[in-house]
Amino acid sequence: MNFLTIGHRGVMGVEPENTLRSFVAAQEAGLDAIELDLHLSKDGALVVMHDTDVDRTTDGTGPIAEKTLSELRALDAGRGERVPVFEEVLEAVQSPLQAEIKDVQAARALAEVMNRRGLAGRVEVSSFHDEAIAEIKPLVPGVRTALIASRYGTDIVDRAVQAGAETVCLNIRRLTLEIVERARKADLKIIGWVVNTQDQLRLVRAFGLDGATTDHPDIKRTGRFTA
């Protein structure tokens, strides 16, 4: 079974997160898939950014939802990069994508793009929000979905099954063998995050996970040799 390496917001350990520069670097590093985050702008654009506001990752301030796409475009997202919209990422790289819905409101906008461009085979949709996963499932035929969790117990398996997810993306700091076994019994794939060191990589391989989300591209090179 192949062990997947997923670039976290591109390769945010070495490039400005959630920028085209970061996504291209992840593809060039040979990562198997690229993870990104989605919000809606004030005027309904599907923009790629992690936080609810722009303060941490740009030279601006304030909530994304209170800014138009034009206003977001005027910001520096790091090293001169601009805040991208989802469809720009689709054009910039050819890699499979894991699109995380940060704002539940973005589910329908993402579904529209995926249906229009036939992306069910290329884009896996993920979210911390059970309702976002449950909502997009009937909107995009054949879509693959993943429920993400940071603080969780064995209930994460029941939540994922109820939402219709095929995968759980789990914070490795809370991972237990019981949770892994329950997920396997429910036929769920398991991705661990965030895996940035060899010790963390050994841990997820020991648990027999299906893959890891990482900030650093060298995890791809070393992952195949770590058991």
Side-chain angles (χ1 to χ4, degrees), residues 107-124:
R108 287 188 175 275
L110 176 58
E112 190 277 325
V113 175
M114 290 186 67
N115 286 328
R116 174 162 44 85
R117 299 186 59 143
L119 297 174
R122 180 184 174 193
V123 178
E124 179 182 56

Side-chain angles (χ1 to χ4, degrees), residues 51-223:
D51 300 356
T52 56
D53 57 52
V54 303
D55 300 49
R56 181 178 62 84
T57 56
T58 78
D59 58 351
T61 59
I64 297 170
E66 295 179 6
K67 297 182 183 297
T68 64
L69 178 58
S70 178
E71 290 170 330
L72 291 167
R73 290 287 208 195
L75 304 177
D76 187 333
R79 300 186 184 178
E81 290 289 304
R82 300 298 160 191
V83 177
V85 295
F86 179 60
E87 292 198 66
E88 287 179 318
V89 183
L90 295 172
E91 299 298 333
V93 295
Q94 289 74 52
S95 301
L97 301 176
Q98 186 184 78
E100 181 182 341
I101 299 173
K102 304 300 290 188
D103 173 4
V104 176
Q105 305 282 338
R108 287 188 175 275
L110 176 58
E112 190 277 325
V113 175
M114 290 186 67
N115 286 328
R116 174 162 44 85
R117 299 186 59 143
L119 297 174
R122 180 184 174 193
V123 178
E124 179 182 56
V125 178
S126 65
S127 185
F128 280 90
H129 305 291
D130 305 44
E131 61 269 33
I133 298 300
E135 180 175 1
I136 204 164
K137 269 303 223 188
L139 296 178
V140 183
V143 67
R144 294 167 293 114
T145 56
L147 183 63
I148 312 170
S150 179
R151 298 184 178 184
Y152 58 90
T154 54
D155 65 308
I156 188 62
V157 174
D158 294 332
R159 286 175 52 202
V161 171
Q162 186 171 358
E166 292 83 13
T167 300
V168 284
C169 299
L170 303 177
N171 179 354
I172 60 172
R173 296 180 184 276
R174 287 182 172 262
L175 202 57
T176 67
L177 185 58
E178 181 184 8
I179 290 170
V180 171
E181 289 175 344
R182 285 199 180 199
R184 293 307 188 201
K185 287 179 181 177
D187 293 325
L188 294 172
K189 292 183 178 179
I190 313 167
I191 302 295
W193 59 270
V194 175
V195 176
N196 287 333
T197 69
Q198 289 302 306
D199 283 345
Q200 291 168 340
L201 184 57
R202 278 188 282 270
L203 174 67
V204 300
R205 295 306 297 264
F207 272 123
L209 302 196
D210 299 287
T213 300
T214 182
D215 298 335
H216 298 289
D218 58 349
I219 290 295
K220 171 66 177 180
R221 293 191 292 272
T222 59

